[in-house]
Amino acid sequence: MRSGFIGIIGKPNVGKSSLMNRLIGEKISIVTPKPQTTRDAVRGILTTDEYQMVFVDTPGLLTPKTELGKYMSRETDAASRDVDVLVIVIDGSRRFTDADLTFVENKLKLGITTYVVVNKTDEAGYGRVYPILSRLSPLTSAAPCRAAIKEIVPTSCADGTNIDKLRDMLASELTDEIMYYPSGDLTDRSMRFVAGEIIREKTLLLLRDEIPHGIGIVINKYEDKKESVYIEADIVCEKEGHKLIVIGEGGRMIKRIGESARKGLEDRTGKSVYLKLFVKVREDWRNKRNYLRDLGYEG
């Protein structure tokens, strides 16, 4: 049994969570089209007869503008260092800038075995991906003060291009001789945490662009019974106007969120789920540490 930790980093919306979910073959991290969906470093675990890979999905790299942003940056920074292998994900459908190249170079200075994944090749096509590969190619040779990229792998999480190949490459890097988690575990996070993430995912997906990212979830009660789960949760927003949007006319939006979240929770738990949602206003909660602690963003 070989094992190791693999950090997945990159800009917002490059497909980090989708990549981890694809590599494991299960949905561990929530996924939405909105940037900064991932707020915590979430570990996803893939165990086979030969190895255990522990993937660390991280928040998208950003310049912190709030206390929540600072928390997310700390999560990403820690995950960039406390791993055996680093996977830098680049969106192949976007323009590759000098800043992107410098970012990769700086991460190579950490001395950690590094793979670069150029994702979304199904959207980008050869015409966009090839120039990115060309600019990255010189970094496959070591230079003073930095290591070399081990491999550059074009992928698509949508159609599975090169996902199996990448998984095999990463498995070859595992050197620890210990199982860090029981073989049946898919994540190190509790179901209480997972429930909050599923509710937040459905809220973001259904609200789309109607509301900013000032949405948080507090799980007030999580009772796991033999054949059912009972959950009470608050959807926290920053303004009274946002609360009205979350509730919707005649309560229709909060009902849709509840129905979608309940289905997601039932799929995850395999049990009947009874879900009660409330909407609370906590003005500017992303900049107030006591509110951040209440929502689980500590450290």
Side-chain angles (χ1 to χ4, degrees), residues 236-251:
V236 179
C237 54
E238 292 183 303
K239 298 178 181 179
E240 286 291 338
H242 295 166
K243 178 178 179 178
L244 295 175
I245 294 172
V246 175
I247 293 172
E249 187 176 351

Side-chain angles (χ1 to χ4, degrees), residues 94-114:
R94 299 182 195 169
R95 188 172 69 88
F96 188 73
T97 66
D98 291 341
D100 293 327
L101 190 65
T102 299
F103 169 75
V104 176
E105 288 182 295
N106 287 337
K107 289 304 176 185
L108 291 172
K109 293 175 183 178
L110 295 174
I112 300 171
T113 300
T114 300

Side-chain angles (χ1 to χ4, degrees), residues 197-208:
E197 288 290 271
I198 289 173
I199 296 167
R200 188 164 64 89
E201 177 188 52
K202 304 310 179 185
T203 303
L204 292 175
L205 286 171
L206 286 168
L207 292 173
R208 298 184 181 274

Side-chain angles (χ1 to χ4, degrees), residues 62-272:
L62 75 165
T63 301
K65 297 179 180 178
T66 63
E67 288 298 319
L68 176 61
K70 292 176 184 177
Y71 167 84
M72 293 161 63
S73 291
R74 290 194 297 271
E75 289 280 282
T76 300
D77 187 57
S80 298
R81 299 176 183 276
D82 300 336
V83 293
D84 304 296
V85 182
L86 203 56
V87 176
I88 301 173
V89 184
I90 292 168
D91 185 345
S93 67
R94 299 182 195 169
R95 188 172 69 88
F96 188 73
T97 66
D98 291 341
D100 293 327
L101 190 65
T102 299
F103 169 75
V104 176
E105 288 182 295
N106 287 337
K107 289 304 176 185
L108 291 172
K109 293 175 183 178
L110 295 174
I112 300 171
T113 300
T114 300
Y115 286 73
V116 175
V117 166
V118 182
N119 196 29
K120 302 186 183 182
T121 56
D122 58 305
E123 296 179 29
Y126 180 80
R128 285 192 176 183
V129 172
Y130 180 75
I132 298 174
L133 300 179
S134 297
R135 293 198 68 186
L136 288 169
S137 182
L139 300 184
T140 57
S141 299
C145 301
R146 71 157 176 82
I149 297 173
K150 185 70 177 285
E151 293 283 352
I152 304 169
V153 186
T155 66
S156 167
C157 294
D159 61 24
T161 298
N162 286 334
I163 296 297
D164 292 343
K165 180 180 179 181
L166 175 62
R167 188 189 300 112
D168 289 344
M169 289 178 178
L170 296 174
S172 71
E173 303 291 348
L174 305 177
T175 57
D176 296 352
E177 296 180 352
I178 184 175
M179 279 185 63
Y180 288 98
Y181 299 95
S183 60
D185 286 6
L186 293 174
T187 181
D188 66 331
R189 295 290 189 166
S190 68
M191 270 308 303
R192 192 182 186 97
F193 173 86
V194 171
E197 288 290 271
I198 289 173
I199 296 167
R200 188 164 64 89
E201 177 188 52
K202 304 310 179 185
T203 303
L204 292 175
L205 286 171
L206 286 168
L207 292 173
R208 298 184 181 274
D209 297 325
E210 294 177 283
I211 200 165
H213 271 277
I215 289 288
I217 306 296
V218 177
I219 303 295
N220 294 312
K221 186 177 289 187
Y222 187 97
E223 296 178 354
D224 192 356
K225 302 177 181 179
K226 186 175 181 180
E227 295 181 354
S228 64
V229 180
Y230 179 80
I231 302 170
E232 289 185 7
D234 293 338
I235 298 176
V236 179
C237 54
E238 292 183 303
K239 298 178 181 179
E240 286 291 338
H242 295 166
K243 178 178 179 178
L244 295 175
I245 294 172
V246 175
I247 293 172
E249 187 176 351
R252 282 194 282 271
M253 178 54 73
I254 192 69
K255 183 179 179 182
R256 288 180 65 197
I257 292 169
E259 289 172 348
S260 182
R262 187 175 65 251
K263 184 180 184 306
L265 288 161
E266 287 179 341
D267 290 344
R268 186 61 180 267
T269 63
K271 299 179 181 182
S272 297

Side-chain angles (χ1 to χ4, degrees), residues 40-58:
D40 299 85
V42 177
R43 289 186 175 93
I45 304 160
L46 173 62
T47 305
T48 71
D49 292 337
E50 286 129 16
Y51 58 76
Q52 183 175 82
M53 279 194 268
V54 184
F55 296 97
V56 187
D57 182 24
T58 62

